[in-house]
Amino acid sequence: MTEIALTVQQTARPTGFPTADHFRFAESPVPEPAPGTALVENLYWSVDPYHREMMDGDFALHAPLEGRTLGRVLASRTPDLPEGEVVFHRQGWRTHSVVRPEEVRRLPHHPGVPLSAYLSVLGGTGLTAYVALTRVARLREGEDVFVSGAAGGVGTAAGRFARLLGAGRVIGSAGSPAKVAYLTEQAGYDSAFDYRTAPVADLLAEAAPTGIDVFVDNVGGDQLGAAIGALRERGRVVRVGTISQYNTPDAPPVVFDHAAVVEKSLRIEGFLVSGHRDAQDELYDFAVPHLRSGALTADETVVDGFERIVEAFLLMLRGGNTGKILVRAA
C-alpha cells in the first residue's frame, strides 16, 4: 500500500466541453478507517456521461469527485467488511476510500467472469441497457430495435441484450466508420450507420425501410426525431441520455412530428437506473450464464493508471471509446 492517496477534484464549471484544466489531482495521507468503516484500495473506476451533467452544479468544487468504483478492502474496523473482500461503491475518482457497510455492495462470486464486467455489462451500464429493454420497452420477441450511441457502453450492451432477448433486427448508429464496422462485425448488430454522413432520417429509413418497434436513445437530437418518424404503431422510445446536448447547452430543441405520437399510439418514457436497483440480481441471472458460455461479451475500453482518469473521461466525451470505458489501477 502506498502512503499517499490521490483524489480528483473539479476546479471550475465548464462551458461546453470540459478540459484537463477543470480538474486537479490532490495528494493526502492514506486515510485511517474509523470504527464501523473500512479502508478500500480502488482497482477499477468508471467514467460516465452523467458526470458531465454533474459538473454543471451537482459536484462541489475543490472536493473529491464521486463515481462507480471497484476496490479491495485493505483494513477493516467492521465485521461486515472483511479484509480482502472486493466491493462496489460510489466513492470513486480517488485511489483510496473509507466506506461504511451500507455504502457498498459486496460482489457475488461468479467464476470465470472478469472483475471489470461488474462495472460494465454487469454494472450500472449493463443494468441501464437491461432495464431499458425489459422493464421500460418490454421488448417482445421478433421486434426490431434501433439504438443511438450504439458503440458506447450502454449501446453495445443494449444491442447484445436485444439479440439474446430474441429481437428481430437490431440497428445502431455511431460516429465513425470504425465504430459502425465494430457494431456489425463484433457487437451483433444487423445494420449500423454513421450519423455524421447524411440526414439521420434518411440513414435510418435505409437501414430500417419497414420501420422499428423500439428505440433506445442515448443521444437525443436529430436521432430522436428520426426514430419517432420510423416507429411503427405502438412503438416505444426509451430515453436513457442526451449526450448530444451535454456539452452544447444552447443546442436547438428536438424537432419531431408530435402528431405521430398520437396517431401511432407511441410511448416515450425516460428513467434513471438508480430507480431500478432491485433488478441487479435479475441482470446477473440473465447475463452471467451468457458471459460464461461466450454468447455475451463485455465491450470495454480500458485505460491503465489512475493518473489517466481525467484523460479517460475527456476521451469518452469525445467519443473515443468503444464499449464501456474503464480506468484500471496500474
Side-chain angles (χ1 to χ4, degrees), residues 133 139 142-151 154-160 162-163 167-174 179-180 183-184 187-195 200-218 223 226-227 230-232:
L133 292 169
L139 178 68
E143 290 188 318
D144 296 330
V145 179
F146 170 45
V147 182
S148 63
V154 173
T156 50
R160 292 187 186 274
R163 175 67 61 226
R169 298 187 70 242
V170 183
I171 302 151
S173 68
K179 289 185 176 182
V180 167
L183 291 176
T184 56
Y189 277 80
D190 295 292
S191 177
F193 59 82
D194 181 349
Y195 68 87
V200 177
D202 295 342
L203 294 167
L204 182 55
E206 182 179 353
T210 62
I212 58 174
D213 299 292
V214 171
F215 175 42
V216 179
D217 186 20
N218 296 292
Q223 303 200 48
L231 280 164
R232 300 178 181 127

Side-chain angles (χ1 to χ4, degrees), residues 14-142:
T15 300
F17 273 93
T19 69
D21 292 336
H22 290 101
F23 304 89
R24 75 180 184 98
F25 286 84
E27 293 186 355
S28 64
V30 172
E32 292 286 341
T37 70
L39 172 66
V40 174
E41 183 178 38
N42 295 322
L43 305 173
Y44 281 92
W45 299 265
S46 174
V47 293
D48 297 286
Y50 79 85
H51 285 120
R52 174 60 190 86
E53 289 185 289
M54 300 286 284
M55 291 183 70
D56 289 334
D58 294 288
F59 283 144
L61 297 181
H62 308 292
L65 301 182
E66 296 186 1
R68 303 181 180 113
T69 308
L70 301 178
R72 181 176 289 110
V73 176
L74 281 186
S76 179
R77 299 188 67 184
T78 168
D80 295 325
L81 291 175
E83 293 178 6
E85 188 81 12
V86 177
V87 297
F88 167 93
H89 64 91
R90 302 188 67 88
Q91 293 187 36
W93 293 67
R94 63 195 86 184
T95 56
H96 300 78
S97 306
V98 173
V99 298
R100 297 188 299 273
E102 63 269 22
E103 294 174 327
V104 310
R105 185 174 75 241
R106 296 171 68 174
L107 297 185
H109 297 287
H110 294 129
V113 174
L115 184 61
S116 61
Y118 293 98
L119 276 184
S120 60
V121 73
L122 296 179
T125 297
L127 188 62
T128 298
Y130 181 78
V131 168
L133 292 169
T134 62
R135 292 192 170 189
V136 183
R138 299 170 195 160
L139 178 68
R140 294 184 288 269
E141 188 171 351

